[in-house]
Amino acid sequence: MRLSPFALVAAAVAAVMMIGTPLTASAQTRTRGTTPAQSQVDEALRMIIQRDRLPCEYGSGRFIGRNNEGRTLYEVGCRGAPGFLLLDNDPATTINCIANNASVAARRAEDPDAEVGAECTIAENIDVVGSVAAYVQAAGITCAVDQARWVGATNAGDQRYEVGCPGADGFWFDAIAAGGVGNVMPCLQVAAAGGTCQFSPSSEQAAWVASLAAPAGRSCPATTARFVGANGQTGQRYYEVGCADGVGFMVRTNGSNGFESVIECAAAGGIAGGCTLSDTSAVATASAEELQSRLAAANIPCG
């Protein structure tokens, strides 16, 4: 059974590696200045959002300070989407709050005494899982996401996020600058392409891939798993699971990771080079034993 075409979807894999350097907070040397009334902050931010057509349903805002040029820095909270720091240029300069706080945390990890600049503190901007919930839905991710983080910015200017799923493989996806969500990749696919997920431990991934085979009644004490590849025409995905007895198998899913079939390693040689997580001799022995059992059930005398 040889698949053609069969590969790690080329565009997705290439995009995994196109990560820009972490964003830097835009307010390194700012003076606090006179704090305006909250009503003035709200009015100013609503006007800027409308003027610049920023993708934000305004929820709340916070005055941070003014720079030496008299420009004002705000923090903006958006309903159902990541908020941002906003410098009131014309047009305004914005920095995604999840990205900004990730950069702040990275700099503090390197040097606890470092000057980190402005930090987002509005409640909805700290709730990263809640901030990306609309993206998760748009990406077709149906697990109960319990963790989320900013991964980086792609060369196209899209924002890349990772989400973790309890008891299942997590995902990377891109929030596209022009709107929408794209490049949705299970973390096993991310790993196959050289990326790293923080919220999907290998033991959890192995158990999840093994669980995909439940409709076929195939099970094993899973020890490891990998993404084998995807059919670029049908969107079908192939995973391999390694088992404690040395005899693993592959699972084929549809593009949404819905179960389609189990392929035993003895029959998987034509799928991207076959199984790599199983013991070859154990697979051969198991295959011979299964064939012997079938012959006996058919009353065919053969050793």
Side-chain angles (χ1 to χ4, degrees), residues 1-2 6 226 228 240 250 265 268-276:
M1 184 174 65
R2 188 169 300 278
F6 187 87
R226 72 183 181 101
V228 178
E240 179 189 357
M250 288 189 186
C265 283
I271 304 176
C275 292
T276 64

Side-chain angles (χ1 to χ4, degrees), residues 226-281:
R226 72 183 181 101
F227 175 77
V228 178
N231 187 311
Q233 293 180 339
T234 66
Q236 292 168 315
R237 294 182 174 129
Y238 290 74
Y239 299 93
E240 179 189 357
V241 61
C243 304
D245 63 1
V247 184
F249 53 92
M250 288 189 186
V251 178
R252 186 182 72 202
T253 72
N254 59 29
S256 300
N257 282 332
F259 174 80
E260 288 193 348
S261 67
V262 167
I263 304 104
E264 295 295 341
C265 283
I271 304 176
C275 292
T276 64
L277 303 178
S278 292
D279 179 81
T280 304
S281 60

Side-chain angles (χ1 to χ4, degrees), residues 7 31 37 48 52 56 77 88 95 98 102 119 121 144 180 222 232-233 239 246 253-254 270 275 287 292 297 301:
T31 57
I48 294 171
D52 295 349
C56 174
D88 67 344
I95 291 182
I98 300 174
E119 186 172 3
T121 61
Q233 293 180 339
Y239 299 93
T253 72
N254 59 29
C275 292
S287 180
Q292 186 72 60

Side-chain angles (χ1 to χ4, degrees), residues 182-232:
N183 204 23
V184 182
M185 294 172 287
C187 279
L188 281 166
Q189 182 177 354
V190 171
T196 302
C197 286
Q198 293 184 4
F199 304 140
S200 297
S202 58
S203 58
E204 187 173 77
Q205 290 176 316
W208 172 72
V209 174
S211 74
L212 292 175
R218 181 65 160 95
S219 64
C220 80
T223 58
T224 186
R226 72 183 181 101
F227 175 77
V228 178
N231 187 311

Side-chain angles (χ1 to χ4, degrees), residues 13 40 48 51 57 61 69 81 121 136 138 172 177 188 195-196 212-213 225 239 243-244 269 273 276 290 297 299:
V13 173
Q40 292 176 300
I48 294 171
R51 180 196 71 192
E57 181 184 351
E69 288 74 44
T121 61
V136 169
W172 275 14
L188 281 166
T196 302
L212 292 175
Y239 299 93
C243 304
T276 64
E290 180 185 3
N299 295 315

Side-chain angles (χ1 to χ4, degrees), residues 27-28 103-119:
Q28 296 298 323
S103 295
V104 167
R107 289 198 297 277
R108 282 184 176 148
E110 293 176 356
D111 179 5
D113 299 321
E115 172 59 50
V116 297
E119 186 172 3

Side-chain angles (χ1 to χ4, degrees), residues 29-239:
T29 55
R30 305 228 176 261
T31 57
R32 179 69 185 177
T34 303
T35 302
Q38 186 60 44
S39 60
Q40 292 176 300
V41 171
D42 294 338
E43 182 180 0
L45 290 174
R46 286 193 174 98
M47 184 275 292
I48 294 171
I49 289 170
Q50 182 177 13
R51 180 196 71 192
D52 295 349
R53 298 181 179 180
L54 299 177
C56 174
E57 181 184 351
Y58 182 70
S60 58
R62 179 174 70 92
F63 170 81
I64 297 176
R66 295 186 178 90
N67 64 13
N68 294 332
E69 288 74 44
R71 309 313 307 185
T72 303
L73 181 70
Y74 300 96
E75 178 188 356
V76 181
C78 305
R79 294 188 178 96
F84 43 84
L85 296 175
L86 181 150
L87 188 66
D88 67 344
N89 298 319
D90 187 6
T93 301
T94 63
I95 291 182
N96 178 301
C97 270
I98 300 174
N100 180 80
N101 284 5
S103 295
V104 167
R107 289 198 297 277
R108 282 184 176 148
E110 293 176 356
D111 179 5
D113 299 321
E115 172 59 50
V116 297
E119 186 172 3
C120 295
T121 61
I122 292 176
E124 54 261 47
N125 290 339
I126 297 174
D127 177 13
V128 181
V129 171
S131 292
V132 302
Y135 294 151
V136 169
Q137 183 177 9
I141 298 170
T142 58
C143 72
V145 171
D146 61 352
Q147 293 173 293
R149 72 180 180 101
W150 178 76
V151 176
T154 70
N155 291 343
D158 303 331
Q159 301 298 315
R160 179 159 292 164
Y161 298 94
E162 176 191 351
V163 293
C165 299
D169 199 21
F171 294 86
W172 275 14
F173 63 84
D174 295 344
I176 301 171
V181 175
N183 204 23
V184 182
M185 294 172 287
C187 279
L188 281 166
Q189 182 177 354
V190 171
T196 302
C197 286
Q198 293 184 4
F199 304 140
S200 297
S202 58
S203 58
E204 187 173 77
Q205 290 176 316
W208 172 72
V209 174
S211 74
L212 292 175
R218 181 65 160 95
S219 64
C220 80
T223 58
T224 186
R226 72 183 181 101
F227 175 77
V228 178
N231 187 311
Q233 293 180 339
T234 66
Q236 292 168 315
R237 294 182 174 129
Y238 290 74
Y239 299 93

